[in-house]
Amino acid sequence: MSHALPLPPPGQCFHCLQPLPENGGYSVHLGGHDYSVCCYGCQAVAETIGQQNLLHFYQYRDTSNPLQVPLVPDELQQLEAYDDEQLQQQFTRQQDNLRSISLSIEGMTCSACAWLIEQHTRRLPGLVNVQVNATTERVQVQWHPDQLRLSDILKAIAELGYRALPFQSATQEQEFKKRRRYFVTRLGIAGLATMQVMMLAIGLYFGVVSDLDPQLRQFMWWISLFMATPVLLYSAQPFYVSAIRSIQAGRPNMDVPVTVALLSAYGASAYATVINEGEVYFESVAMFTFFLLVGRYFELLARQKAVSAAANLVKLIPAIAQQELSDGQINPVSVSQLKPGDIVHVYPGATIPVDGELLSDSTAVNESILTGESRLVEKHQHELVLAGSLNKTQPIRVRVTATQQQTVLASIIELQDLALSRKPKLARVAERMASKFVVRILLLAAATFLIWTVIDPAEAFWVTLSVLVATCPCALALAAPTAVTGAIHKLNKSGVLLRNADVLQVLPEVKTMFVDKTGTLTTGEFVLQQRHYYATARQAEIDAVTQALERSSNHPLAVPLQQLTEHSEPLTQIKSQMGMGLTGKWQQQGGGSVTVRLGSLRYIQQWHPQFEPRLPDAQVFLATHDTVLAEYAVGDALRPDTQATIAELQQAGIHVVMLTGDKLEFAQRVANQLGISEVHANCLPADKLAILNAAQANAPVAMIGDGLNDGPVLAQADVSMTFGHAADLARTAADVILLRNQFSAMTQFRTITQLARRILRQNITWALVYNIGILPIAMAGYVTPYIAAIGMSTSSLIVLLNSLRLYR
C-alpha cells in the first residue's frame, strides 16, 4: 500500500482546504486511503487527479495559504488550453456542425487498448464517432463542439492511463524516437542477459552428462538468476502493462499468457535455485523476452513506416507565408495567422502554403504530393491552387480560401487516417480469433498441467510452460494489422485513397464493373473532333463567324468552338434561341450583310428542310438562308488510357458495363471504340440503381463514376470508385478515390488489392497452421520452453516480413 498523502489541519477539506460541513462532508479514496472533502466538486476533481496518476500534486503543493492553494494540477490545466478556438484551428476540421481531430495516443500496445478507449469515450455526451487504430496509435474523434469540449475528450482518455494529444508530425517523430529508445534499451539488456545465461545453460546441460559438481551447479544457477532478474523486472515491463490493461478491458490479449509464462518460469526457477533442487529455465525467460522484444521492435518499425507517409505530407507545407499587406508591402507571417481573403506571394520553386484562388495570369504547378503524378499542371487566373503544390514557373499572387486543417491536403491526410482506423472484415475476424485463442490457451494450459500431474508430476510445470509459450497467438494478432497497414501505405503512394478498408477483401471477388461515361471513360471536357466545310475556300471566315457567335453562348458544346482561329469577322445583333442556337448579322468583306444561324440540326433544317449532315457525329451547324456553310462534331474526348485499361480488365475476366444518362447513339459509339458489349443509356439515377441491384443479386459489383452525380449508385455498389477532383474529396460518396486523373490507376489499384488480400490470407493461414500444429506437440511434452520461445518468435517474424513485401 502507498504512503498516506499529507493531511490538512483537522476540519478542513483535503482538496481545497476550506472548512468541512457539519456532517463531515464526503469521502474520496486515493492511494489506498480515505480523505474527507467538502463537496461533490472537490470529490470529482480529486478522483480525476487520482485516476490520472497525478497524486504528486497533493504531495508538493504549497498549502501555507489556504486561500491561494491551487485546485487543479498543471497537467489538467494544460488539457483545458486545447479548448481555445484559435488553437483548435491548427489541428481540427469543421464540417457542418461537427468537429473532428486526429489524436496521437501514448501507451497503447494492442487492440485491447483500442477497444478500451473506444468504449470509455463513447459514453461522453456529444461524441458522435470515435475510431482507434492500435497499429498507428491514432484516434479519429468527431464531436459536437457545442455539447462537448476537446479537453473533456482528452481527460476521458487520460483517465484510462493513456496520454492523448493532437497529432502533429514533429511530435509524432519525437514520439517514435522515444518508443525506439524504449525498446532498444530493453532489447539490449535482454540480449546481453540471454547471451550470458545461454552460455551458463550450455555448461549446465553438459554438466548433466559429465557429473557437474553440485556446488558449481548451484553457483551457476545463482549467476543465471542474477542475469535473468533485470530481464524479468525491466525488459519484460511492456508485456505486463499490456496484459493488465487487457484484463481490465475484459478482453485478455496475447500478453496475458506471455506474462503468466514469464512469471511462472522465473518463479519456479528461482524456487529451485533457493532450495537447490529441481530444474531451472532462466535461459528460457531471457530468450523468450528477447525474441518477443525483437518482434515488437520490428512491428514498431513497420508501424512507423506506415504512418510516416502522412506525417511527411504535413511537413511539406511551409510554416511561413509571404503575406501582401494593404500598402503592397510583403511581410513574412506564420501560416496559422492567415485568414480567408488574405493575399500571399509564392515565388518560383516554393511550396504553396494555403489553398487559394490564383490572382496572377497563369503558372505551372507540381501536384505530385496530392495526386502522385509528377507532370506539371497549368493553372490560370481564378483557378484553385492547393497547399503542398510546388510553384514551378513564375511568382504568383494567391487569395487565401483555406489554411491548415481546412485545406485539401489535410482532407487527404484525414482520409488516410480514416482508412487506417477501419479494419476489413477478415482483419476483424482474425482479431476476434486471437482474442478467443488466448482464453482457450489458458484453459488448455490448465488442462495440460492437470494431465501431466497424473502422468509425470516433475514435468507437469515445464510442459505447461511450453504450451503457454509455443501457442501464444502473436503471429495471429499481427497477421491482419501489418498487412492492411502495408496495403494502405502502398495505395497512398500510388495516388489511391481508401475510405473503406473492406474494399481490400471485396474487390478481388468482383466480376462485374459498371462505369459511367462522361467524366469517367471520357475526360469530361468537350473538344472539336471533326469539321466539314461546304465552302472550302472560305474556311477561315466560316470559323471566325462560328467563333464569334459561340463566344456569346455558355453552352458546354460552345467551349471548344470559341478558340477556332485568330481571324475575326464582324457580327452584330447576336441573339440566342433557347434550345435551338444563335443568330446574328454577318458583315461580309465583299459588302453587304447576311443573317447566319449556328445551332442544332433541327434549327438549320427550318431553313434547309432537305439537308442531311455529312458527319455522323455532327451536333453544331452554320448556315445562311441560301446555303449550309459548315458542320462541327464536338464530343467528350476519351481518356487516353481508357481503351487499354478496359481491355486489361476484360482479359482478367471482368465484365464491363456502361451506365450513362447520355443518348444511346453517343453512348454506343464510345462503347464500340472501347469494346464494351453491354450499354445502358438514357438512365436516370433510379434506373442505374435498379440495374446495379439486379447484378448484385449474383455477385459483388463495382461502380466507377462521378463522386457527386452518381452518389446513390456509388453508395449501393459493393466497391465504389471515383476520380479525385480535389475540391470534392470531402463530399464524395465513393469507397476509393483515384487521385491520379487516369483510368489506368484502376488496374494498379486492383493489382495492389489482390496482393494485399493474398498476403493477408497467407499471414492468417500461417498463424493458424502454426498455432494449431504446435499445440498437440507442446502438450505431448516434445517442445522444451526455449524451443517454444524460438518457434513463437519465428512465426511472428515470418508474418511481419511477409507484410513488409507491401512496402517494396
Side-chain angles (χ1 to χ4, degrees):
M1 184 175 290
S2 61
H3 296 293
L5 298 169
L7 291 172
Q12 289 187 0
C13 172
F14 171 73
H15 178 68
C16 68
L17 304 186
Q18 299 305 305
L20 292 170
E22 292 182 4
N23 62 3
Y26 304 89
S27 176
V28 62
H29 190 76
L30 298 172
H33 300 272
D34 291 320
Y35 301 93
S36 297
V37 291
C38 62
C39 62
Y40 278 126
C42 287
Q43 185 186 49
V45 174
E47 285 175 350
T48 302
I49 290 170
Q51 288 164 354
Q52 297 189 52
N53 299 319
L54 299 175
L55 292 180
H56 60 272
F57 165 72
Y58 291 117
Q59 291 176 330
Y60 302 114
R61 63 176 177 170
D62 180 10
T63 59
S64 57
N65 186 350
L67 298 178
Q68 295 182 356
V69 67
L71 299 181
V72 182
D74 291 340
E75 290 91 335
L76 293 183
Q77 290 177 344
Q78 289 169 6
L79 293 182
E80 291 180 357
Y82 286 108
D83 293 329
D84 181 72
E85 285 292 327
Q86 191 170 359
L87 182 62
Q88 283 195 21
Q89 289 176 9
Q90 298 181 28
F91 44 75
T92 63
R93 288 179 59 80
Q94 185 85 25
Q95 189 173 355
D96 299 328
N97 295 323
L98 298 177
R99 194 165 288 177
S100 59
I101 189 173
S102 178
L103 299 172
S104 293
I105 304 290
E106 289 182 19
M108 189 158 55
T109 56
C110 64
S111 56
C113 299
W115 181 88
L116 183 61
I117 293 170
E118 285 181 356
Q119 298 305 311
H120 186 70
T121 51
R122 277 177 182 157
R123 300 170 188 164
L124 296 172
L127 192 80
V128 176
N129 187 36
V130 57
Q131 289 182 315
V132 186
N133 186 339
T135 305
T136 59
E137 297 180 350
R138 300 258 278 282
V139 180
Q140 299 297 317
V141 185
Q142 200 173 37
W143 77 98
H144 287 287
D146 54 340
Q147 300 176 28
L148 182 66
R149 297 182 305 169
L150 176 57
S151 62
D152 293 331
I153 299 171
L154 300 178
K155 288 174 185 176
I157 296 173
E159 286 171 4
L160 300 173
Y162 304 97
R163 186 165 178 257
L165 292 174
F167 168 72
Q168 292 177 308
S169 59
T171 56
Q172 185 80 352
E173 272 192 19
Q174 292 170 2
E175 190 56 37
F176 269 123
K177 286 179 181 177
K178 181 179 171 183
R179 294 279 291 170
R180 278 205 305 271
R181 285 197 299 270
Y182 177 86
F183 275 106
V184 166
T185 307
R186 284 164 172 76
L187 196 56
I189 290 173
L192 287 171
T194 299
M195 287 189 289
Q196 302 303 319
V197 175
M198 281 302 297
M199 285 193 294
L200 293 170
I202 291 170
L204 287 169
Y205 294 147
F206 280 112
V208 171
V209 179
S210 58
D211 296 325
L212 188 69
D213 180 70
Q215 289 185 340
L216 181 58
R217 187 193 68 170
Q218 173 76 348
F219 174 73
M220 294 173 76
W221 281 8
W222 278 104
I223 294 295
S224 298
L225 172 64
F226 176 75
M227 291 290 182
T229 300
V231 176
L232 184 89
L233 298 180
Y234 179 72
S235 295
Q237 267 183 12
F239 312 126
Y240 308 150
V241 172
S242 173
I244 291 168
R245 283 178 176 163
S246 72
I247 292 170
Q248 287 175 339
R251 295 182 65 189
N253 67 0
M254 59 188 178
D255 287 327
V256 174
V258 166
T259 300
V260 172
L262 286 173
L263 294 177
S264 301
Y266 180 85
S269 298
Y271 179 74
T273 302
V274 172
I275 66 171
N276 195 20
E277 184 180 326
E279 295 292 333
V280 297
Y281 280 95
F282 290 117
E283 79 284 354
S284 297
V285 173
M287 187 186 296
F288 188 33
T289 305
F290 176 71
F291 282 133
L292 276 172
L293 286 170
V294 168
R296 296 291 167 92
Y297 183 67
F298 278 119
E299 183 187 351
L300 177 71
L301 295 182
R303 181 186 300 166
Q304 182 181 8
K305 197 164 188 177
V307 300
S308 63
N312 288 338
L313 290 181
V314 178
K315 288 191 292 184
L316 289 174
I317 298 182
I320 302 297
Q322 307 298 320
Q323 183 182 12
E324 180 184 302
L325 303 178
S326 55
D327 59 0
Q329 296 293 316
I330 305 299
N331 182 41
V333 297
S334 170
V335 171
S336 61
Q337 296 177 12
L338 294 173
K339 304 182 297 298
D342 289 344
I343 295 174
V344 296
H345 281 235
V346 184
Y347 300 112
T351 301
I352 299 172
V354 295
D355 286 358
E357 176 190 354
L358 181 63
L359 299 180
S360 305
D361 291 336
S362 65
T363 190
V365 298
N366 183 331
E367 294 183 340
S368 59
I369 184 177
L370 300 158
T371 65
E373 179 57 60
S374 58
R375 284 183 297 184
L376 295 184
V377 179
E378 290 289 333
K379 294 288 184 179
H380 301 284
Q381 193 172 39
H382 304 308
E383 287 188 346
L384 181 69
V385 292
L386 302 174
S389 303
L390 198 62
N391 180 34
K392 298 295 288 186
T393 54
Q394 59 191 12
I396 57 172
R397 296 170 68 240
V398 177
R399 179 181 288 116
V400 177
T401 58
T403 64
Q404 296 185 308
Q405 292 302 311
Q406 311 309 316
T407 62
V408 169
L409 181 61
S411 70
I412 289 175
I413 294 168
E414 185 178 34
L415 287 174
Q416 291 178 0
D417 289 342
L418 200 61
L420 286 167
S421 67
R422 292 175 176 170
K423 308 178 189 80
K425 186 177 179 181
L426 196 57
R428 294 194 294 270
V429 169
E431 195 174 275
R432 285 197 297 271
M433 286 170 61
S435 180
K436 291 177 181 177
F437 210 80
V438 168
V439 177
R440 287 167 186 169
I441 284 171
L442 294 172
L443 293 174
L444 284 170
T448 301
F449 183 78
L450 293 174
I451 293 168
W452 273 89
T453 301
V454 176
I455 298 171
D456 186 352
E459 293 296 322
F461 178 80
W462 302 113
V463 173
T464 304
L465 182 65
S466 296
V467 170
L468 281 172
V469 173
T471 56
C472 177
C474 297
L476 190 58
L478 290 172
T482 53
V484 171
T485 303
I488 291 171
H489 167 77
K490 194 174 183 71
L491 288 170
N492 290 344
K493 284 188 70 176
S494 303
V496 178
L497 280 181
L498 217 59
R499 292 169 67 99
N500 183 0
D502 276 333
V503 168
L504 296 174
Q505 187 176 344
V506 178
L507 184 63
E509 299 174 3
V510 167
K511 296 300 177 187
T512 304
M513 188 170 292
F514 291 93
V515 291
D516 184 32
K517 182 177 79 70
T518 305
T520 302
L521 297 173
T522 63
T523 60
E525 299 174 358
F526 288 100
V527 295
L528 179 61
Q529 295 177 328
Q530 285 181 293
R531 63 183 103 181
H532 178 75
Y533 302 98
Y534 292 93
T536 53
R538 306 179 67 187
Q539 288 184 16
E541 296 173 56
I542 291 170
D543 281 346
V545 171
T546 300
Q547 177 177 280
L549 287 166
E550 291 289 31
R551 285 181 175 176
S552 300
S553 171
N554 58 6
H555 194 281
L557 291 178
V559 176
L561 301 177
Q562 291 172 352
Q563 303 292 336
L564 287 175
T565 179
E566 294 182 0
H567 184 71
S568 62
E569 288 289 327
L571 270 88
T572 57
Q573 301 178 32
I574 297 175
K575 295 178 183 177
S576 174
Q577 299 292 321
M578 184 66 68
M580 302 293 283
L582 298 142
T583 183
K585 288 284 187 181
W586 174 22
Q587 191 68 35
Q588 299 184 78
Q589 292 180 357
S593 63
V594 61
T595 301
V596 290
R597 276 188 176 183
L598 180 76
S600 66
L601 178 61
R602 186 158 56 109
Y603 193 36
I604 299 304
Q605 284 178 338
Q606 290 177 357
W607 281 357
H608 305 282
Q610 305 304 315
F611 171 73
E612 291 297 330
R614 295 278 183 89
L615 300 176
D617 299 336
Q619 301 114 313
V620 182
F621 304 86
L622 179 69
T624 65
H625 270 296
D626 299 328
T627 184
V628 177
L629 298 174
E631 56 188 71
Y632 301 90
V634 176
D636 193 1
L638 285 174
R639 293 179 185 272
D641 54 353
T642 303
Q643 191 166 3
T645 305
I646 293 291
E648 194 174 332
L649 291 171
Q650 289 172 336
Q651 286 174 2
I654 293 178
H655 179 49
V656 180
V657 181
M658 185 191 294
L659 279 182
T660 179
D662 210 346
K663 293 180 180 179
L664 180 60
E665 57 267 30
F666 297 133
Q668 192 62 59
R669 199 171 295 126
V670 171
N672 292 341
Q673 286 180 264
L674 299 174
I676 297 175
S677 58
E678 187 176 343
V679 179
H680 298 273
N682 299 305
C683 291
L684 297 172
D687 301 325
K688 292 182 179 181
L689 203 55
I691 294 166
L692 188 133
N693 274 330
Q696 264 182 323
N698 303 317
V701 299
M703 172 73 192
I704 312 177
D706 187 317
L708 304 177
N709 299 335
D710 292 326
V713 196
L714 289 171
Q716 178 62 31
D718 298 284
V719 179
S720 54
M721 290 164 275
T722 187
F723 292 98
H725 307 292
D728 301 326
L729 286 182
R731 293 185 285 155
T732 183
D735 298 320
V736 181
I737 301 162
L738 308 173
L739 289 178
R740 291 185 183 178
N741 210 13
Q742 300 168 351
F743 200 79
S744 58
M746 175 61 233
T747 53
Q748 191 178 17
F749 167 54
R750 189 169 176 273
T751 302
I752 295 172
T753 302
Q754 287 175 320
L755 175 63
R757 190 174 80 153
R758 191 160 60 247
I759 286 176
L760 180 57
R761 286 187 167 181
Q762 287 170 355
N763 285 353
I764 292 174
T765 302
W766 162 253
L768 286 173
V769 167
Y770 167 77
N771 280 104
I772 294 170
I774 198 72
L775 182 59
I777 301 172
M779 290 181 72
Y782 293 115
V783 180
T784 59
Y786 74 90
I787 293 296
I790 294 172
M792 185 281 304
S793 303
T794 303
S795 69
S796 299
L797 286 174
I798 288 172
V799 165
L800 273 171
L801 293 172
N802 193 38
S803 297
L804 285 174
R805 289 196 292 145
L806 286 162
Y807 291 89
R808 288 190 308 198

